[in-house]
Amino acid sequence: MKTPETSRNFTRRRDPASGAESLILTGRVAACQQSFYFVNDGFSADGRYLWFYCVNPPSKAYCLGLLDFESDRMHFFPETQFLDASPAVKPETGEVWFFSRTELWKLAPHPEARPEYVNRLPDEIVRGRNPMRVATHITFSPKGDAICIDAGFGRECFLGEMPLDGGPCNIWERIPFYANHAQFSPVDPDVILFCQDGCSDIVTGEPIPYTQRIWTIRRNGKAAAFFPGEETPMHGHEWWSADGRYIWFVHYGHGTFKADLNTHELIRVRPTPLPVSHSHADRTDTLLATDICCEEWDHMSVLFTDLTNGKEVFLVNAMPKIPYIKRNYHCHPHPHFSVSDRYITYTTTLNEQVNVAVAPVAPLLDRTRD
């Protein structure tokens, strides 16, 4: 089986400043090809399949593309048009799951495969309306029998789970504010992390701010702000540690943090004055990948940090923000550890093209631990 290092669809690129090597997906099935949003991985667990987002400007319709490393062939699936950033890959099978309006579908990783209907939001929730999203990130319950939903309609959100056997949705709570980024705990099926976010009034367009960013809810319980004693509008882009013990997040302007789920103890993992937008940790919480995307800058960077010793390597020092793409599409790098932490997957805009990039981790460790 091919790998990113040996596939004909990837081209090696060495950053001129740091010398770090990335592999760029130069094989194409769409004008813009992006890695998955920061919580989810586009790879299957065995590394055979890589799913990625596809869009062809000026269209705003996102669909999915696939690279099968066994055949080393790419395929575009126009029937997978999805809402927001919902798709997720089932690691064990390589199937991709996505929402088409209010319906959940899955697709096997084969060119001849056709989408299979799984479930949908009930009519008493939808009431003829178009949702802003049904799941910001599809995350599977630890038992693998349901996915987490944060179905948004206007200012309210229906938070809970959608069974994968077609059974009725279980709404844990109707949240009376704009909530998103809901994610099942990776180890406890009775805990969901979600966030309050800023939005605009759907009638007037007036901005609606927020003060409490991170929330959690337990099954049969009530949602609660994670830091109730302080305002946290500068927190963002949260994810679970692999063991479910910590909630990781970015503090804009101060770096990457994590907090203990049970004690709420705050740990400043990687302080920096750089404008960090997204981060992701490996399964051991000892490696960190970060993107730096200050809106005032005309470029973006991706940084690798070895948390065991604080040493760092820029995967890429400066990628351009393509004006039209920046204005109309969400093309931040969104780095993510993939395939048992062998790679960091991210989105690149080098050569004025939006594409998927994969950076092998082993050479980075050689540089930080020599």
Side-chain angles (χ1 to χ4, degrees), residues 52-112:
F52 50 92
Y53 296 176
C54 294
V55 66
N56 291 293
S59 171
K60 303 301 188 295
Y62 273 95
C63 301
L64 289 164
L66 171 70
L67 172 57
D68 180 347
F69 284 96
E70 187 165 284
S71 64
D72 206 19
R73 293 182 178 178
M74 299 175 66
H75 189 72
F76 173 65
F77 294 91
E79 64 270 39
T80 58
Q81 184 173 339
F82 58 87
L83 281 176
D84 206 350
S86 67
V89 176
K90 198 74 180 262
E92 302 82 5
T93 64
E95 295 170 307
V96 70
W97 300 63
F98 63 97
F99 274 100
S100 178
R101 195 171 178 268
T102 59
E103 297 176 342
L104 177 64
W105 293 75
K106 67 177 180 178
L107 179 66
H110 309 295
E112 68 278 6

Side-chain angles (χ1 to χ4, degrees), residues 10-30:
F10 282 86
T11 300
R12 293 177 182 269
R13 191 266 182 186
R14 195 172 295 278
D15 185 83
S18 71
E21 184 175 77
S22 292
L23 305 159
I24 311 298
L25 182 63
T26 45
R28 305 196 74 84
V29 292

Side-chain angles (χ1 to χ4, degrees), residues 171-304:
I171 303 302
W172 292 16
E173 189 170 346
R174 182 172 177 171
I175 307 296
F177 53 75
Y178 186 84
N180 58 10
H181 291 290
Q183 304 162 45
F184 260 125
S185 161
V187 298
D188 188 341
D190 296 327
V191 178
I192 289 175
L193 155 71
F194 72 100
C195 304
Q196 186 174 7
D197 212 344
C199 65
S200 299
D201 187 280
I202 60 173
V203 176
T204 66
E206 179 182 359
I208 302 173
Y210 65 95
T211 58
Q212 296 289 340
R213 169 71 183 188
I214 302 175
W215 295 67
T216 56
I217 184 172
R218 294 186 178 271
R219 189 186 302 271
N220 301 320
K222 288 291 185 181
F226 195 74
F227 297 113
E230 58 181 302
E231 295 186 357
T232 55
M234 296 299 288
H235 292 178
H237 296 128
E238 298 77 6
W239 77 97
W240 287 102
S241 63
D243 60 7
R245 179 179 175 182
Y246 297 102
I247 296 172
W248 286 76
F249 63 94
V250 167
H251 187 297
Y252 304 119
H254 291 282
T256 304
F257 292 69
K258 65 180 181 181
D260 188 289
L261 173 66
N262 297 313
T263 67
H264 295 214
E265 177 191 3
L266 187 62
I267 302 169
R268 193 172 185 174
V269 177
R270 201 272 174 187
T272 176
L274 293 173
V276 172
S277 289
H278 309 84
S279 291
H280 189 247
D282 74 331
R283 294 168 302 163
T284 67
D285 286 356
T286 61
L287 305 176
L288 192 68
T290 297
D291 67 23
I292 299 163
C293 309
C294 179
E295 288 303 313
E296 286 74 28
W297 295 359
D298 61 359
H299 66 271
M300 302 176 290
S301 303
V302 182
L303 182 65
F304 170 82

Side-chain angles (χ1 to χ4, degrees), residues 123-180:
D123 292 339
E124 55 267 31
I125 288 179
V126 179
R127 290 184 290 160
R129 299 175 292 174
N130 284 316
M132 289 179 285
R133 100 209 120 257
V134 182
T136 313
H137 323 272
I138 290 177
T139 55
F140 298 95
S141 71
K143 299 178 181 178
D145 59 352
I147 63 163
C148 181
I149 59 173
D150 51 12
F153 295 88
R155 292 189 183 184
E156 66 179 1
C157 169
F158 295 87
L159 187 70
E161 59 188 321
M162 179 179 284
L164 301 184
D165 63 2
C169 292
N170 178 16
I171 303 302
W172 292 16
E173 189 170 346
R174 182 172 177 171
I175 307 296
F177 53 75
Y178 186 84
N180 58 10

